[in-house]
Amino acid sequence: MKTYRVENPTTGEVAETFDYITDEEIKSTVENADKAFTTWRDTPIEDRAKIVTRVAELFEERKDKLAEIISLEMGKPLAEGVEEAEFCAAIFNYYADHGPKFAADEEIPVEMDGKAYIQRRPVGVLLGIMPWNFPYYQVARFAAPNLMLGNTILLKHAEICPRSALAIQDIMKEAGVPEGVYKNIFATHDQIADLIAHPAVRGVSLTGSERAGSAIAAIAGENLKKVVLELGGSDPYIILDTADVKQAAKDAWATRMYNTGQACNSNKRIIVMEDIYDEFVDELVKLAEAMKPGKPAEASETIFTPLSSRSAAENLKAQMDKAVEAGANLRTGGTLLDDSSSYFAPAVITDIPVGSEIYYEEFFGPVATVFKVSSDEEAVELANNSQYGLGGCVFSEDVARAGKVGQQLEVGMANVNTYAAEGAEVPFGGVKNSGYGRELGPYGMDEFVNKRMYFVAD
């Protein structure tokens, strides 16, 4: 169905549809954003910070309602939806608090008579293309730093997230974001291509698939526009040793099941030392088999929610079949409910042949893929045998040992004895086919910016 829609993944029923924006509306929207930029960039950053702070307050105030919206749109457990809205509030607050410092002029030493500065100036209208798996968080990490910088934003959300997209637009309006500074657009793919080519649009940020990133980057490159891409991953989760195998399995399983497995930096390849491998896998199987389908409000350690859409569930099922055909061992799960819903039984799969075509694919759903290794060197080799390089983590009772392995991971975010260091202040992004550029932290405010040299002679 090629339209913006609210499609309940627990039933497959379409609750509401939304029309695409017209070409004439696109034209006026870009013109309004460009016009608004000339005023917004000249607004004192302290005044922009007050508005951004109010955005944060509204995310906090409306977190329960925001969670209800995305539980219907893409099946997110209600508790996780609340957490997501709270994280958005933290992100907007972070940039409101620290943005003036990040954007301040930086004096640099020169040998000439005079003073030289690097000034961080906004560049203009930006286009954000956002996915459905974290409908609020993905927007926040793009919008917050750029609103503080003085850029203006056009936001194209995923086709299955129209209500959450409109909820964000409402927050921006009530917070006092001026007309044209932030605008949601229900655009087609062809319209997006035209937008990127528009002279007023100076940059594009996309979070999505590797295929989408390649297509957007190509269009942007043809038009000399900067791009920030976050394109998913196949993150390694290495367990070198543990004092409690069952607890290690529970932790790994809980991590993999977060957002029903639909997270870019989820632990998609669990790499375990051979001496604990069998006990670890057995525990994962028990945990998987204890889970039953339920509604987003019922989600718990033993109740799983649907994937975002029936097509997503069917695609994941096809991947499981492909893995088994290649020689993998599907220990449990991997089945679809025989209806129009998007429920996919959480799966544990082992023995995927390394180097096979399916080995290199990303499983975006509740699938724990486990590999057995016999040495730290083998763990590193396997971890880096991927076209992706988003994140990765290493666990060991010996911190130095884990650190040695962690230092060798070819990723944008390496973690030792934790799944992920996450926070508004921590940069997020990858290398290789996981994309380029960084969001969050100080570097999240250093992407769509003119680092202008400013020199004053004595």
Side-chain angles (χ1 to χ4, degrees), residues 324-335:
V324 171
E325 290 173 5
N329 184 0
L330 181 59
R331 302 294 184 104
T332 191
T335 58

Side-chain angles (χ1 to χ4, degrees), residues 3 146 172 213 223 227 241 291 320 330 338 342 350 358 366 374 378 383 440:
T3 184
N146 286 300
M172 295 294 177
N223 293 279
V227 184
D241 59 70
M291 299 194 77
M320 292 297 96
L330 181 59
D338 189 20
S342 304
T350 62
I358 190 63
S374 58
E378 186 181 358
L440 299 180

Side-chain angles (χ1 to χ4, degrees), residues 398-424:
D398 184 340
V399 177
R401 179 189 180 191
K404 184 178 180 181
V405 170
Q407 289 282 10
Q408 298 177 72
L409 297 180
E410 298 170 355
V411 297
M413 302 174 289
N415 300 275
V416 172
N417 284 341
T418 184
Y419 153 57
E422 291 187 329

Side-chain angles (χ1 to χ4, degrees), residues 90-111:
I91 292 169
F92 281 100
N93 272 324
Y94 173 80
Y95 284 107
D97 292 343
H98 298 281
K101 177 181 66 177
F102 296 155
D105 291 356
E106 174 189 355
E107 185 175 356
I108 58 175
V110 292
E111 296 182 4

Side-chain angles (χ1 to χ4, degrees), residues 217-358:
I219 299 170
E222 290 175 359
N223 293 279
L224 300 178
K225 307 295 176 70
K226 180 172 181 177
V227 184
V228 169
L229 300 175
E230 196 271 272
L231 307 178
S234 187
D235 289 14
Y237 183 104
I238 303 170
I239 304 177
L240 302 176
D241 59 70
T242 177
D244 189 337
V245 177
K246 286 184 171 56
Q247 186 59 51
K250 290 177 181 177
D251 292 343
W253 182 254
T255 299
R256 191 66 188 99
M257 292 304 109
Y258 190 80
N259 203 33
T260 321
Q262 301 166 115
C264 299
N265 62 331
S266 185
N267 50 339
K268 303 202 177 79
R269 290 179 297 143
I270 305 174
I271 300 169
V272 184
M273 281 293 168
E274 59 183 358
D275 59 325
I276 60 174
Y277 174 85
D278 289 338
E279 183 181 357
F280 184 91
V281 171
D282 287 346
E283 183 63 22
L284 287 184
V285 171
K286 292 178 184 177
L287 292 167
E289 292 181 343
M291 299 194 77
K292 306 299 178 185
K295 296 180 180 179
E298 302 169 335
S300 69
E301 292 181 356
T302 57
I303 294 178
F304 66 92
T305 58
L307 296 185
S308 62
S309 65
R310 181 69 182 188
S311 61
E314 290 174 350
N315 288 340
L316 189 57
K317 176 63 167 62
Q319 286 182 300
M320 292 297 96
D321 293 342
K322 185 177 179 180
V324 171
E325 290 173 5
N329 184 0
L330 181 59
R331 302 294 184 104
T332 191
T335 58
L336 287 171
L337 288 188
D338 189 20
D339 56 19
S340 57
S341 73
S342 304
Y343 287 98
F344 180 94
V348 178
I349 191 167
T350 62
D351 307 307
I352 294 179
V354 177
S356 64
E357 182 179 353
I358 190 63

